């Protein structure tokens, strides 16, 4: 599917910034320019690279958005509605996420505030974003020849319940794991809710990636991860809705 318009959350660094970069330049997709709505918390302060990118690509619009703040989500959705016009929005990537660092080794002794933050940002954020952008996504599904729009929730294999007994000792990440497993369930519920509207929804694991969150020991560069993710996204069909996919297209266990 040609992606004519995309909304990316957490677009000022890491995986989100690379999604904006590759989509805006159409380096991989070889299609007409994608209009990229690049959302981040502090466009004026912590988004220098994104601002520079937007200067080079007039098809990037920077939008202020804190996914923990419902009024911020509503304002961003209104802006997206105006910018996307009657063609609507083809692709929403709920990428913004947190891994509260106190949770790295604390196991059951995690801070309650860390769990609250992880649930709010990693589960409720994508749900509220999808709800707010639903009218714009539906417009795209009605207008595109393929009759579909896509919601990708950037999840993690750390949310995979089946593999947790094998890898828990290497990184407890208690609140993070719970939040990503919850995001996976939310994605499947949304996939069922949105199926009749022609909107594909699924959780996507980007691999272990060298970003602030992934750290420098991660095997994948952001370019490797995001270029693979975009190939997967471009080839999605309604048959994939509700599946848990990896950046290389593999179907992951829940
Ligand atoms: N890196 C990996 O190995 C890996 C593996 C599996 C899954 N993931 C997932 O991939 C996604 C991106 O991760 P990353 O590695 O690129 O991490 P990152 O470099 O730490 O970037 C996280 C992004 O999320 C944004 N964000 C956090 N809370 C937000 C909020 N309340 N509102 C708006 N934006 C918010 C951050 O914005 P600020 O700059 O304002 O904080 C930043 O742009 C996350 O969902 C993560 O769980 C990453």
């Amino acid at each position: 599917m040609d992606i004519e318009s995309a909304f990316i959350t957490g677009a000022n660094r890491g995986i989100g910034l690379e999604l904006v970069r590759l989509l805006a330049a159409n380096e991989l997709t070889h299609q007409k320019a994608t209009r990229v709505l690049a959302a981040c918390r502090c466009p004026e302060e912590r988004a220098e690279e994104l601002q520079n990118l937007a200067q080079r690509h007039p098809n990037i619009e920077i939008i202020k958005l804190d996914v923990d703040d419902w009024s911020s989500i509503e304002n961003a959705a209104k802006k997206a509605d105006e910018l996307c016009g009657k063609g609507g929005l083809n692709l929403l990537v709920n990428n913004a996420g947190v891994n509260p660092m106190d949770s790295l080794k604390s196991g059951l002794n995690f801070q309650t505030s860390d769990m609250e933050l992880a649930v709010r940002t990693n589960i409720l954020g994508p749900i509220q974003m999808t709800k707010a952008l639903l009218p714009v996504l539906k417009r795209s599904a009605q207008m595109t020849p393929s009759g579909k729009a896509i919601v990708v929730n950037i999840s993690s294999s750390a949310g995979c319940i089946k593999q947790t007994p094998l890898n828990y000792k290497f990184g407890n990440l208690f609140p993070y794991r719970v939040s990503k497993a919850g995001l996976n369930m939310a994605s499947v519920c949304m996939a069922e809710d949105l199926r009749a509207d022609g909107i594909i929804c699924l959780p996507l694991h980007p691999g272990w990636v060298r970003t602030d969150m992934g750290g420098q020991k991660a095997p994948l560069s952001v370019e490797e991860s995001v270029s693979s993710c975009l190939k997967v996204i471009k080839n999605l069909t309604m048959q994939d809705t509700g599946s848990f996919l990896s950046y290389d297209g593999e179907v992951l266990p829940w």
Side-chain angles (χ1 to χ4, degrees):
M1 168 179 161
D2 277 359
I3 301 164
E4 290 180 18
S5 54
F7 190 117
I8 314 295
T9 70
N12 58 314
R13 59 190 168 101
I15 292 169
L17 179 65
E18 187 64 12
L19 278 165
V20 176
R21 195 178 75 76
L22 291 186
L23 280 167
N26 290 321
E27 275 172 23
L28 295 158
T29 47
H30 307 298
Q31 54 161 69
K32 76 177 189 185
T34 302
R35 172 163 228 180
V36 187
L37 312 188
C40 61
R41 279 196 274 208
C42 298
E44 314 306 335
E45 285 166 36
R46 299 197 305 269
E48 200 179 325
E49 269 190 79
L50 177 61
Q51 293 284 4
N52 291 340
L53 199 58
Q55 297 235 317
R56 295 199 298 278
H57 296 281
N59 50 328
I60 298 177
E61 300 276 353
I62 301 179
I63 294 182
K64 189 173 169 65
L65 169 72
D66 181 341
V67 301
D68 294 349
D69 174 348
W70 306 163
S71 67
S72 172
I73 289 180
E74 271 182 25
N75 290 337
K78 266 187 212 142
K79 191 96 205 257
D81 190 67
E82 285 160 23
L83 290 167
C84 291
K86 66 176 168 50
L89 180 69
N90 297 151
L91 171 67
L92 164 63
V93 184
N94 286 310
N95 162 74
V98 287
N99 176 15
M101 290 317 280
D102 281 351
S103 74
L104 269 176
K105 293 199 175 67
S106 49
L108 191 56
N109 296 319
F110 62 81
Q111 300 288 321
T112 308
S113 57
D114 280 350
M115 180 65 85
E116 286 167 349
L117 177 65
V119 166
R120 191 165 179 96
T121 309
N122 297 350
I123 307 178
L124 281 168
I127 294 173
Q128 297 294 90
M129 279 303 301
T130 306
K131 279 166 77 171
L133 285 171
L134 205 49
V136 204
L137 289 160
K138 278 186 186 171
R139 244 174 16 239
S140 154
Q142 284 155 9
M143 296 290 288
T144 50
S146 58
K148 66 185 187 213
I150 302 171
V151 176
V152 171
N153 295 322
I154 300 294
S155 184
S156 171
S157 60
C160 173
I161 292 171
K162 193 169 179 197
Q163 287 173 358
T164 299
L166 306 174
N167 57 30
Y168 187 70
K169 61 177 177 289
F170 301 116
N172 304 165
L173 312 177
F174 201 128
Y176 186 70
R177 284 179 186 276
V178 170
S179 70
K180 292 296 188 182
L183 175 63
N184 288 354
M185 174 55 92
S187 304
V188 177
C189 294
M190 287 195 278
E192 290 311 313
D193 282 334
L194 305 181
R195 188 188 287 275
D197 293 312
I199 301 173
I200 297 166
C201 178
L202 78 172
L204 178 67
H205 167 58
W208 183 19
V209 191
R210 289 191 294 278
T211 61
D212 293 340
M213 189 187 291
Q216 285 314 299
K217 288 187 186 151
L220 291 174
S221 67
V222 274
E223 294 87 342
E224 288 165 324
S225 163
V226 172
S227 57
S228 293
C229 286
L230 283 175
K231 278 185 201 137
V232 170
I233 290 170
K234 266 193 72 78
N235 289 321
L236 289 174
T237 69
M238 249 312 159
Q239 284 190 327
D240 299 305
T241 200
S243 309
F244 184 16
L245 296 185
S246 183
Y247 69 100
D248 54 7
E250 186 195 343
V251 178
L252 295 176
W254 296 112

